[in-house]
Amino acid sequence: MPTIDCDSRVHETRVTDRSELAPGVILLGLNAPELARATRAGQYVMAIPPTGEAAATALGIYEAQGERASLLFFLTGKRTRELGELRPGDMLALTGPLGNGFDLSSKPRHAVIVAGGVGIASVLLAAQRLVADGTRVELLYGARNEALLVDAQRFAEAGCELALATDDGSAGHHGLITALLERRSEMPDLILACGPSPMLRAVGRIAADRGVRAQLSLEETFACGVGGCWGCVVPLARTSAQAPGFPLESQGGSDVVYARICKEGPVFFSDELKW
Amino acid sequence: MITAQPSLEVKLGKLQLAYPTLMGSGCYGSGDEFAPFADLTKIGAVVLKSVTRRPRLGNPTPRLVHTPAGLLNAIGLQNPGIDWYVEREVPKYADRPCPLIGSVAGFSIDDYAYVCEQLAKCAPIAAIELNISCPNVGSEGETFACDPDLTARVVRAARATTDKTLIVKLSPNVTDIASIAREAEAAGADALAVINTVRGMSVDVETWRPRLGNVTGGLSGPAIRPIAVLAVYEVARAVSIPIVGQGGIETATDALEFFLAGATAVSIGTANFTDPRIPERIVAELQAYLGRRGLAAIGDIVGKANVGIVGAYQHGGDEG
């Protein structure tokens, strides 16, 4: 992805609204005008835990419009539960926006976005932007069950065509969302995906089989979130434009280099990932 | 009446620092990564990520696991090697608003001497930290800091290559850290960094696999703070050179524990991953603490927990 040169900083934001979209899935609205203005589709923030008792949490920026930005996250551990405790009026400090988002510059006629589970949190801005640019956008959205297909209506309202899948068959296709990508007769001009690693690998494999490349937004445990610690890496072809500059001999004969998901990513081209 | 601000200035060998707060190696990039989020003029120095003689790909993934009150990591010294580093990376560091301390890692005494010499020649590098205690590169990385004789030899070799301040980073994964510290001091170290991470491991009970790609890792964060405070205390009794205390410092109170135990400066690592504003906050609160107590300088409290102590250490008269 092209490097985004954006105005990143620490933002002191105020929670404006909070809703539980499904059991354990929180949408947190924030008054964050500067963050909303600076954010590009596919970027994320590091949310600083209010009690300071845990590491910051990387969260995709769900919405960014006017004075409001929002975060959509699942309550999966101590850190997200702490954020889930926040109520309107509470303060939340964030660093961001961070990372290189999706490359939407090709002005595609037809785009498919594949989202799995909490991956939905990182694709709304891309969907909105593509629709605004006149692109036909299909969202393939998979989750464990119907209740966890959160906010699908929002994408329909934004002008996306929806296809759903659930692991238990409670809504849409009974099985993996990637099956809906695989069975297509034609591939779109642009494929974006965000979700669990097995889903992203499958999207990458399907894209490769059909001779196209996908943009995959990766998730990994972060420590610093800003490129300082080299903890959140993924093996990347050293020929990739996103590969950090390293001398050839560091590869020990292989053509792979570890790139930072937080800095060089989180979005990578599927054909450059060597995972 | 205007009272002068208490001084936080400290000296490590020849290195004069405006603030006694270093940013730990491998935790702060080269400073630039944190510049949008932290005021680099309000920190003492950045210790750069360790560099080795040959380029290193680093460890397989995953490299990080969050644990209770801690962070387990096994990065594996990913770096482009000293030649590339000196030629292409260090020149970018020329205009940093705070001093930079280069970090040297290696697998032989020759490695350390060579890398130290090349790095110390670079103008933007104000001092050198010898990382003889990396726990994440098989047994080799930590071997030096676990053996008094090897510690002495590697420090002597590095010392011969530069007059810049030489800080030696010690491992907590030893039986008697004081004996290692004495060897490092005798071999010419200007200061000691105490401690590196504590070895640890975590297992995924679903997959039955270790949760780190490297299997074992180094634990940092508040979980190790009491271990680090004790190590500083023990080292302070054994040597007379300055100590950079580190291990789970998140607040000024945490930092004060280290100063009182005998540290001249402190290093902040994992806390930067919680909130990049922490180092600046610590500096402000240290100043307020000294002011409240009418103390003129941070140096006034260094090692005070070591004075007139009653307990097991009182009987160890041969150490003092």
Side-chain angles (χ1 to χ4, degrees), chain A residues 8-10 12 48 54-56 79 93 95 98 221-224 226 228-231 233 245-247 249-251 256 258, chain B residues 26 28-29 33-34 36-37 49 55-61 63-64 66 71 75 78-80 84 273-277:
Chain A
S8 300
R9 65 178 83 171
V10 180
E12 297 279 2
I48 297 173
R79 296 182 294 158
T95 56
L98 300 168
T221 302
F222 284 2
C224 75
V226 297
C229 74
W230 294 84
V233 297
F246 257 51
E249 63 265 40
S250 68
Q251 312 320 317
V256 162
Y258 283 113
Chain B
Y28 214 70
E33 291 84 347
F34 279 84
F37 317 109
K49 184 166 172 56
R56 285 182 56 83
L57 190 56
N59 282 331
T61 60
R63 291 177 171 183
L64 298 171
H66 290 283
L71 177 68
I75 311 296
Q78 177 169 351
N79 80 91
W84 174 291
F273 308 156
T274 300
D275 187 339
R277 299 168 298 180

Side-chain angles (χ1 to χ4, degrees), chain B residues 27 195 211 279 290:
Chain B
C27 298
I195 54 177
R211 289 169 73 192
L290 296 175

Side-chain angles (χ1 to χ4, degrees), chain B residues 83-92:
Chain B
D83 296 338
W84 174 291
Y85 188 75
V86 164
E87 188 183 324
R88 312 230 198 158
E89 294 293 328
V90 178
K92 296 182 208 163

